[in-house]
């Protein structure tokens, strides 16, 4: 039986393609630091590199695009149910 590993990431911080292989660097929030202007910035720590063949990556992007469209459609549906219809409002 194959071993399934769960990986958590806050951010995708890097992606490269070389010889038909896609490498994605995943990072987690690792505290805060001040930059040279004394501005507080989130520090990221790369914890995992996902390596996937280009065709698998293209398939994954398609799946993500379908999911984003589905979420957007559901959001539109919720907004239309919450917004009162113009014909329901009394005339002045």
């Amino acid at each position: 039986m194959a071993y399934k590993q769960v990986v958590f990431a806050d951010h995708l911080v890097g992606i490269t393609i070389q010889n038909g292989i896609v490498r994605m660097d995943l990072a987690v929030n690792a505290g805060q630091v001040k930059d040279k202007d004394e501005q507080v910035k989130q520090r990221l720590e790369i914890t995992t590199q996902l390596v996937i063949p280009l065709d698998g990556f293209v398939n994954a992007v398609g799946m993500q695009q379908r999911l984003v469209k589905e979420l957007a459609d559901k959001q539109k549906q919720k907004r239309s149910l919450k917004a009162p219809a113009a014909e329901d409002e009394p005339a002045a």
Side-chain angles (χ1 to χ4, degrees), residues 14-52:
I15 187 166
T16 59
I17 301 173
Q18 186 176 16
N19 298 326
I21 301 294
V22 178
R23 296 176 186 275
M24 294 179 277
D25 292 326
L26 307 176
V28 296
N29 293 329
Q32 296 179 333
V33 294
K34 289 186 180 180
D35 65 10
K36 62 183 178 181
D37 299 323
E38 295 298 313
Q39 297 291 321
V40 176
K41 301 286 183 180
Q42 188 66 41
R43 186 173 71 82
L44 299 174
E45 181 178 328
I46 296 174
T47 57
T48 306
Q49 185 176 75
L50 176 62
V51 180
I52 186 169

